[in-house]
Amino acid sequence: MKTLHKHNIFHTRYSRIRVILYFLCFFGISIAAIAFCGIDLPSLFHIALLMAATIAVLLISFPDNHLTDFIIFLLAPITIFYLAEWFTHVPWSRDISIDVMALNLIFYSIGLWFLFFLTGRLRLSLILLSVFSFTAAIANYYVTMFRSIPILPWDLKSLDTALSVANNFTFSVSYEFACNIGRILLFFALIGKVRTSIPSKRSIHKLRCYIVRLAGTGIFATLFCFYVTFLHRDDLTSYFRLNDTLFTPSTMYQQNGLAVNFIIDCKYLNVEIPNGYNKTEAKELLDQYQTSSPASKKPNIIVIMNETFSDPAVMGQFQTNKDYMPFIHSLQKGSPNAITGTVHTSIVGGNTANSEFEFLTGHTLAFLPTGCVAYQQYIHSAIPNLVQTLNNANYNSYGIHPYRAAGWNRQSVYSLLGFQHRMFLDDFKNAPILREYVSDQACVDTLIDLYENKTNHPLFLFNVTMQNHSWYDKAFENFDEQIQLTGIDDTELNRYLSLMYESDQAFEHLTKYFSNAEEDTIIVMFGDHQPNNYLIRSICEKNGLDVDNLSTEDLLKRYTVPYVIWANFELPDIHIPDISINYLNGVVMDLAGLPKSPYQNFLSQLRIQYPVITSMCWQDSNGVYHTWDEPSIPEPILQYKKLQYYQLFDATANRF
């Protein structure tokens, strides 16, 4: 019996503690999945099998030799790769080529060997790489759920903003997520069996050991630098058949791999100087559009960029118990003092600040790195923009956002843009709340109050609302949901449409007030972006569309929202069915009878030829849409690219 006990394959010391801890982990993810998704017996059985396998690995002794350890070590990169990818998609179900897979495995292999030489221990290096990779993969999973776009390098600069709204995100656990956590736990149990390290106990070998470790660390750090440089090569995309469809970053990540795609995206952190750009020539071109016509009038200008305001009907027909946008729809049918149409955005599901950036500056995200947040990355000093132009025309300017000032660095950016007054959540302490946010009606009341207490100077009020911010999975006692779908069972979409109804009613209230105001006033309202994919999935399915695999034509519809320009005086009889956000401020200046800056004059001329320019596409004067992967770009658009670079980086002393 003593002999049997001595060679028993089951551990006795510490094994019970490890088994209990792993059991609690499996139990926890199972309970979480049940809580969010209900009971799913096949999935629970799958988790139970993974738990049984994990406990078996914990209890069974592995052969105590270096060969077993190095087999686990060598197989670890491909295991980590598949487990990391598995959070957002089944890795082998996508068209990821062997070559691209190899590029990803090189990343994990270099990282593993680097950590091995750095730490001198196989197990520790495996744990460190695994924790890093799986943490990144889980973060990417939830970010993709939150905004339908994966993590991008510049998101790291927006971490404070992400944390400020994280408490509004529902961290749900699906069975697919729980099963993959189970696989990861099994993998951690396996690498826990590794014992090999670089020997250094004997003092005679210590120096030699440290030299080997230092050399190995340096070699693999150098290899990683070469690896990154290699991935940034322009000819890499075609050679390895990488997906470079920049307007579908989720698909890019699935087909290129999380690690490879993230590193490739890093090359866009810096804005490339346009081909043929010359600072002096750009200034001379801009000077050609200088005008000196005086203002014919100075009406008050109110701009409301409404959070996640959109009309889901662009994706297909559906029925509701009553109109969810009655006032806006009535204006769209025709009004002597309103201009309506579709505004094309560069974003969907998030990154609100980029729509602000496009409207206030006249710039387009098309010429900036995909997924960037301009407020975070490119505004570090005063730049020419609409606020400066109106300040110079003796307007009193307000930047208003009823949420935290730190979000998207607005507190700093609004000051640099020139807003004379800035209002954030602290200025809305007693404002009515709808769900968890300051309501649109509260914003309207604030705008009216600012008008009633204005000085002799005309007002420019720029209000970014918060009422409609995701998510929509919770019911609130302070929210009377007015809209119900008929023929579609979708509680969250009902809630979203009810919010659109509240925004519509608040906007109507604002226009009714200013209909009787003494001073001429122009009011603009448009959405910053559409909601993320999950919310409109049921509408797409009803109309035969797969929201995750839309055609280019249907995908472009996801980047459209309604706009309204209303005034308490008769507007010119013009029709602008399609426009992109970057052009919108120039139209407002024309309607207000105000002189435009040279840059705005240039954009007004460009809009005649190309009425839509976004990060997704550009539209020609015949209404044909073109994507940016076409072999040639028209010269006027290339001029725009040069002038934008000049305005954003080289013209800080110039007027907008």
Side-chain angles (χ1 to χ4, degrees):
M1 292 297 295
K2 292 182 179 179
T3 305
L4 287 175
H5 176 74
K6 182 179 179 180
H7 298 285
N8 195 339
I9 63 172
F10 295 104
H11 291 288
T12 57
R13 190 178 182 184
Y14 306 123
S15 62
R16 291 181 181 178
I17 296 176
R18 292 198 299 270
V19 168
I20 290 172
L21 289 175
Y22 274 86
F23 173 80
L24 290 176
C25 289
F26 276 101
F27 181 75
I29 62 172
S30 300
I31 293 299
I34 292 172
F36 285 105
C37 306
I39 296 176
D40 182 346
L41 292 179
S43 296
L44 290 172
F45 181 70
H46 186 182
I47 295 173
L49 288 178
L50 289 168
M51 181 177 67
T54 301
I55 292 175
V57 170
L58 290 170
L59 295 176
I60 296 175
S61 295
F62 278 37
D64 189 11
N65 60 64
H66 298 322
L67 178 60
T68 303
D69 290 352
F70 273 101
I71 289 175
I72 296 174
F73 185 84
L74 294 174
L75 292 178
I78 191 168
T79 306
I80 294 173
F81 165 72
Y82 274 111
L83 291 176
E85 298 294 321
W86 216 329
F87 280 107
T88 54
H89 62 283
V90 179
W92 50 83
S93 68
R94 298 284 176 174
D95 295 328
I96 183 167
S97 67
I98 298 298
D99 293 343
V100 174
M101 187 183 300
L103 287 177
N104 283 272
L105 295 182
I106 290 172
F107 167 82
Y108 292 109
S109 297
I110 291 176
L112 190 54
W113 280 102
F114 170 80
L115 291 171
F116 172 59
F117 282 106
L118 182 67
T119 64
R121 290 173 173 83
L122 284 183
R123 180 169 58 181
L124 182 57
S125 61
L126 286 165
I127 291 173
L128 290 174
L129 181 64
S130 299
V131 169
F132 170 79
S133 302
F134 298 145
T135 300
I138 291 171
N140 182 63
Y141 168 78
Y142 280 114
V143 168
T144 303
M145 283 185 61
F146 182 74
R147 66 183 190 190
S148 301
I149 295 175
I151 286 179
L152 298 165
W154 27 91
D155 289 332
L156 301 178
K157 295 185 178 182
S158 309
L159 186 59
D160 55 344
T161 298
L163 293 175
S164 73
V165 299
N167 61 326
N168 302 312
F169 172 67
T170 301
F171 290 90
S172 61
V173 175
S174 66
Y175 276 105
E176 291 81 4
F177 180 89
C179 287
N180 205 43
I181 293 294
R183 299 181 194 105
I184 289 173
L185 290 172
L186 174 58
F187 178 67
F188 272 111
L190 187 64
I191 63 178
K193 298 295 183 178
V194 175
R195 296 288 185 271
T196 300
S197 62
I198 297 177
S200 60
K201 291 183 178 180
R202 296 180 182 179
S203 58
I204 193 171
H205 295 308
K206 280 186 177 181
L207 180 60
R208 184 184 302 172
C209 170
Y210 287 135
I211 292 174
V212 170
R213 285 177 54 186
L214 181 62
T217 302
I219 289 171
F220 282 97
T222 303
L223 284 175
F224 182 76
C225 292
F226 280 119
Y227 174 75
V228 172
T229 304
F230 176 72
L231 288 182
H232 286 179
R233 287 172 56 96
D234 293 333
D235 59 351
L236 190 73
T237 298
S238 58
Y239 186 82
F240 283 94
R241 300 189 298 278
L242 290 165
N243 186 322
D244 62 346
T245 312
L246 297 177
F247 59 83
T248 53
S250 294
T251 303
M252 287 181 65
Y253 267 61
Q254 290 174 359
Q255 297 185 355
N256 296 341
L258 179 61
V260 166
N261 211 89
F262 188 89
I263 292 173
I264 290 175
D265 279 343
C266 285
K267 72 179 181 180
Y268 301 115
L269 282 171
N270 296 318
V271 179
E272 292 184 0
I273 299 176
N275 290 332
Y277 172 78
N278 180 280
K279 178 179 177 179
T280 302
E281 292 176 358
K283 185 180 183 304
E284 291 174 352
L285 174 61
L286 208 56
D287 288 343
Q288 297 176 20
Y289 292 89
Q290 180 72 52
T291 57
S292 58
S293 57
S296 59
K297 54 184 177 180
K298 291 185 178 180
N300 299 302
I301 299 173
I302 300 174
V303 178
I304 301 172
M305 196 180 81
N306 201 304
E307 171 66 39
T308 323
F309 184 79
S310 71
D311 190 345
V314 297
M315 301 308 298
Q317 297 181 352
F318 58 92
Q319 300 297 320
T320 55
N321 60 325
K322 63 179 181 180
D323 195 340
Y324 52 91
M325 235 181 253
F327 182 61
I328 299 286
H329 287 160
S330 69
L331 294 178
Q332 290 173 342
K333 293 177 182 178
S335 172
N337 58 344
I339 299 170
T340 65
T342 297
V343 65
H344 294 250
T345 68
S346 290
I347 56 175
V348 67
N351 286 359
T352 293
N354 281 334
S355 289
E356 291 181 56
F357 170 79
E358 289 191 324
F359 175 81
L360 293 172
T361 64
H363 301 329
T364 174
L365 261 67
F367 306 143
L368 297 176
T370 302
C372 71
V373 179
Y375 274 15
Q376 296 279 2
Q377 294 171 253
Y378 308 122
I379 301 183
H380 306 296
S381 60
I383 62 170
N385 71 94
L386 175 65
V387 185
Q388 289 183 2
T389 301
L390 293 176
N391 288 346
N392 293 333
N394 292 318
Y395 273 74
N396 202 355
S397 58
Y398 285 76
I400 306 166
H401 179 55
Y403 204 59
R404 298 168 187 168
W408 299 127
N409 199 30
R410 283 191 182 94
Q411 189 170 30
S412 174
V413 170
Y414 277 13
S415 177
L416 294 172
L417 291 176
F419 282 112
Q420 298 158 345
H421 309 276
R422 296 168 291 281
M423 298 178 65
F424 296 104
L425 185 59
D426 289 344
D427 301 293
F428 288 80
K429 288 182 178 178
N430 299 315
I433 301 297
L434 187 62
R435 301 188 302 148
E436 299 176 296
Y437 303 110
V438 173
S439 69
D440 280 10
Q441 184 58 52
C443 288
V444 164
D445 293 339
T446 298
L447 298 174
I448 292 173
D449 184 66
L450 290 172
Y451 170 76
E452 292 181 342
N453 292 280
K454 69 185 289 293
T455 64
N456 292 329
H457 294 284
L459 288 174
F460 171 49
L461 308 179
F462 181 69
N463 177 206
V464 180
T465 69
M466 196 66 191
Q467 169 189 287
N468 304 327
H469 199 285
S470 59
W471 291 71
Y472 315 99
D473 58 327
K474 296 180 182 178
F476 292 87
E477 292 183 358
N478 66 356
F479 182 24
D480 180 16
E481 300 174 17
Q482 296 281 313
I483 306 301
Q484 298 292 320
L485 291 154
T486 57
I488 299 178
D489 182 16
D490 193 328
T491 302
E492 294 188 51
L493 184 54
N494 287 337
R495 206 161 282 142
Y496 174 77
L497 293 172
S498 297
L499 289 169
M500 297 302 99
Y501 179 79
E502 296 296 331
S503 294
D504 181 88
Q505 296 300 291
F507 183 66
E508 183 179 19
H509 178 80
L510 184 65
T511 59
K512 283 183 177 179
Y513 173 86
F514 277 99
S515 294
N516 300 311
E518 293 182 0
E519 297 183 12
D520 286 351
T521 302
I522 293 176
I523 303 174
V524 183
M525 187 172 82
F526 62 96
D528 57 346
H529 56 73
Q530 287 192 29
N532 58 20
N533 287 349
Y534 88 95
L535 195 67
I536 52 92
R537 187 178 302 278
S538 56
I539 294 175
C540 289
E541 289 176 351
K542 180 177 175 61
N543 290 273
L545 300 175
D546 179 359
V547 70
D548 297 316
N549 293 283
L550 295 172
S551 65
T552 299
E553 179 182 358
D554 289 323
L555 184 62
L556 292 179
K557 294 177 184 177
R558 288 281 285 130
Y559 289 77
T560 61
V561 293
Y563 81 88
V564 177
I565 302 175
W566 180 94
N568 59 2
F569 55 88
E570 188 171 342
L571 294 174
D573 185 18
I574 59 175
H575 183 53
I576 309 175
D578 291 280
I579 190 173
S580 47
I581 295 178
N582 56 312
Y583 290 129
L584 205 52
N585 73 43
V587 173
V588 174
M589 295 288 284
D590 286 335
L591 295 174
L594 295 168
K596 294 182 294 186
S597 69
Y599 191 56
Q600 288 174 315
N601 286 328
F602 169 81
L603 291 177
S604 294
Q605 292 296 317
L606 185 67
R607 185 170 68 85
I608 298 173
Q609 296 176 277
Y610 308 102
V612 171
I613 298 179
T614 72
S615 64
M616 293 287 293
C617 65
W618 51 275
Q619 183 194 60
D620 61 30
S621 57
N622 296 318
V624 178
Y625 289 95
H626 306 262
T627 56
W628 295 105
D629 55 1
E630 294 189 7
S632 62
I633 305 297
E635 182 60 31
I637 295 180
L638 295 178
Q639 284 186 329
Y640 179 21
K641 186 175 183 179
K642 294 175 183 178
L643 289 182
Q644 174 171 310
Y645 188 90
Y646 174 76
Q647 288 284 102
L648 190 55
F649 299 110
D650 286 339
T652 54
N654 293 345
R655 300 294 184 186
F656 177 73

